Amino acid sequence: MNAPMPTTHDDLQDLPSYPMERDDYVNPARALLTGPPISPLRFVGGSTGWLVTGYHEAREVLRDPRFSAERWRGDDAMRAVPEAIRKERSSGAGSFLAMDAPEHGRYRGQLTRYFTVRRMRQLEERIEDIVAERLDALEAAGKPADLVRHFALPIPSLVICEMLGVPYEEREVFQSVAAQLLRQDRTEEEFIAGRAALQNFLHRLVEAKRKEPRDDLISLLTAVDELTDEEIVGIAGLLLIAGHETTTNMLSLGTFALLRHPGQLERLRADESLLPQAVEELLRYLSIVNAFPVRIALEDVVIGDVTITAGQSVAVSIPAVNRDPALVDDPDTLDVARPRSSHLAFGYGIHQCLGQHLARIELVVGYRGLIRRFPGLRLAVPPEEVPMRSDMVIYGAHELPVTW
């Protein structure tokens, strides 16, 4: 049976906080993998809540409407909820990632038809062109080259910019804002300034699209009568940041993992048909979303043998959940030929990642391009010298020096 929530002052002070550092370059902290599926946790805001590391328990929390995704209701596992969000009782109009039904469904429903498997497959040829261009750029950079800067970051940035209608030459605005907003140690002032900069940038873009619409997603959203400019800005900001940060880090960290498992890389070189399976396995094995999502109980809920009381926050550790033996056998082993698992790298429930089909195509095409173009690809520095993103909400490598 799981331990009950401590009640004495001393016991509450002794509660663990969420471990931010990973073991080695990729493995979740050992503390996440050795405890019970639900255990008490001290949140950075000072409150006490629960940490979920069990696969089945995580699915229950993420699909149960008695748990709210509205962050202003509670503390965050790794960063305190900014007071500005708490006062507004919102993460901003259109930012549906932190919304519950029915509001969440109203926004997401406007977008679902643009992210279907069929529509994403129609983009595959363009993604292949972009990957080829970035492979040329990586080679032209000379040896050694930073795979993040020349390959992993530009590919999803170009794709999401073209989809939304954001001028790619202005990418530094949203890339720098994303880097600031996703830092673990960013201050409330930095959060407010970063969000304001992104909103101002997108407001100008939405105004331009209303005057001169093009064949892009922001232009299409401006034609939806019930959406205000503020709501479109919120939607576009969420898609812009999520659309490049996650895939960028999967491309770079996935390459790093394969280079550290040369036998697995050789299997892919010998049989490219394994690439879709390999992408699913890398998504499971790496789990780049460090500690989110966080949910707040709207009423008393029993999960397993734990009673989570109304108002308590619950952090779901995706890296730990995807290493649960209840999900796959031998979960700490990277196996590119493993049959596709029901991993939670894209979340679960109504908040499951809207862009997952796009991400899968970008990853398959990206890895395939690297394997074909650079058969001798290898790290240019010892693995321990690769600067990891332990300071960021989205895990990965700040730089990945490679040669060939």
Side-chain angles (χ1 to χ4, degrees), residues 166-184:
V166 176
Y168 184 64
E169 59 271 18
E170 298 183 42
R171 65 192 180 279
E172 290 186 6
V173 174
F174 68 82
Q175 288 176 354
S176 62
V177 168
Q180 179 171 301
L181 294 178
L182 294 175
R183 273 179 28 224
Q184 303 282 22

Side-chain angles (χ1 to χ4, degrees), residues 353-366:
C353 177
L354 181 67
Q356 60 182 292
H357 305 309
L358 174 61
R360 287 183 168 105
I361 292 173
E362 290 175 313
L363 292 171
V364 168
V365 174

Side-chain angles (χ1 to χ4, degrees), residues 235-348:
I235 292 170
L238 176 59
L239 296 179
L240 197 57
I241 292 178
H244 85 276
E245 271 286 336
T246 50
T247 308
T248 289
N249 288 291
M250 272 304 305
L251 281 170
S252 56
L253 192 60
T255 302
F256 190 20
L258 290 172
L259 292 176
R260 294 199 66 184
H261 293 79
Q264 298 298 309
L265 181 56
E266 287 309 311
R267 294 177 77 178
L268 293 179
R269 293 193 195 283
D271 185 1
E272 288 187 3
S273 70
L274 291 175
L275 274 166
Q277 288 173 237
V279 164
E280 298 302 322
E281 173 68 348
L282 287 165
L283 286 162
R284 179 201 69 81
Y285 182 74
L286 299 174
S287 299
I288 61 170
V289 179
N290 257 335
F292 289 87
V294 173
R295 297 288 185 264
I296 295 87
L298 299 176
E299 58 185 81
D300 291 358
V301 184
V302 177
I303 301 291
D305 55 7
V306 169
T307 298
I308 299 169
T309 58
Q312 285 189 318
S313 296
V314 182
V316 177
S317 174
I318 299 300
V321 166
N322 281 341
R323 295 293 187 93
D324 188 345
L327 172 61
V328 295
D329 294 331
D330 196 14
D332 291 334
T333 296
L334 176 65
D335 180 1
V336 296
R338 190 192 298 273
R340 180 171 174 171
S341 66
S342 299
H343 62 74
L344 301 190
F346 289 119
Y348 190 68

Side-chain angles (χ1 to χ4, degrees), residues 78-152:
M78 300 172 79
R79 303 179 300 175
V81 176
E83 193 60 30
I85 285 183
R86 204 181 298 281
K87 285 181 179 178
E88 295 173 6
R89 299 173 66 82
S90 167
S91 291
S95 186
F96 56 91
L97 185 64
M99 291 180 181
D100 298 332
E103 190 178 24
H104 168 272
R106 184 172 80 86
Y107 291 121
R108 184 163 175 138
Q110 298 290 345
L111 300 169
T112 303
R113 62 185 178 274
Y114 301 116
F115 287 89
T116 62
V117 174
R118 179 174 172 272
R119 280 183 175 269
M120 295 304 99
R121 285 177 178 164
Q122 291 172 347
L123 292 175
E124 188 165 356
E125 185 175 347
R126 175 57 183 144
I127 293 171
E128 288 174 345
D129 291 341
I130 291 172
V131 167
E133 293 166 4
R134 298 320 306 172
L135 288 167
D136 291 343
L138 181 64
E139 188 168 16
K143 299 182 284 189
D146 178 11
L147 187 120
V148 175
R149 176 185 175 189
H150 298 291
F151 182 77

Side-chain angles (χ1 to χ4, degrees), residues 38-74:
I38 305 180
S39 58
L41 180 71
R42 172 170 289 280
F43 286 71
V44 294
S47 69
T48 57
W50 298 94
L51 172 66
V52 177
T53 57
Y55 174 71
H56 295 298
E57 292 77 8
R59 285 164 58 102
E60 285 190 59
V61 169
L62 295 178
R63 71 185 175 200
D64 194 326
R66 293 175 295 175
F67 289 99
S68 173
E70 295 178 347
R71 293 175 54 212
W72 52 265
R73 295 178 181 269

